[in-house]
Amino acid sequence: MNKIYSDPISKAYALADGVKKQSGMLAQKGIAIDVDKLFAACAALEKAGELQDVAEVKLKEARETAHIALEKLKEVFVASKAPIKQNFPPEMWLSFGLHDKK
């Protein structure tokens, strides 16, 4: 999990544990802290972080697939335009959809 999420989660769990252990002292001072709310917020962020991790893996795979497809397109494009450039004068290249000037 991303450190941006894991640090606050760790701190919140530590606080929740401390609040549970010292609930008597807090009660004497009239302080009420909803530990369940802390735990629920931690769980929600953990789940969201896990979903983000899964999405990042899928995005990385999609980028790699797209990069491979781009490289293939470049190869096919170069191979397709070479015979046109070799067999026709530059003035005609545009009629084939080639915008090259050299």
Side-chain angles (χ1 to χ4, degrees):
M1 178 176 296
N2 192 320
K3 188 172 170 77
I4 291 172
Y5 305 138
S6 64
D7 284 350
I9 289 170
S10 296
K11 290 177 182 177
Y13 277 134
L15 175 62
D17 288 338
V19 167
K20 284 173 72 173
K21 289 177 186 173
Q22 302 298 337
S23 61
M25 277 206 275
L26 291 170
Q28 289 175 355
K29 298 277 187 179
I31 299 170
I33 297 176
D34 190 345
V35 176
D36 292 335
K37 202 178 219 181
L38 269 172
F39 282 125
C42 288
L45 181 54
E46 286 174 327
K47 183 176 181 180
E50 290 168 5
L51 289 172
Q52 181 180 354
D53 290 343
V54 169
E56 286 175 355
V57 167
K58 288 181 181 178
L59 178 59
K60 182 181 178 191
E61 291 170 355
R63 276 192 188 122
E64 289 171 357
T65 300
H67 183 73
I68 291 167
L70 175 61
E71 291 304 312
K72 181 65 178 170
L73 173 61
K74 286 179 180 180
E75 290 174 18
V76 172
F77 183 80
V78 167
S80 298
K81 79 176 186 176
I84 295 169
K85 290 179 81 172
Q86 292 167 358
N87 291 290
F88 295 95
E91 306 82 51
M92 293 190 66
W93 293 352
L94 190 56
S95 68
F96 290 99
L98 293 176
H99 297 278
D100 296 2
K101 297 190 177 169
K102 294 182 183 180

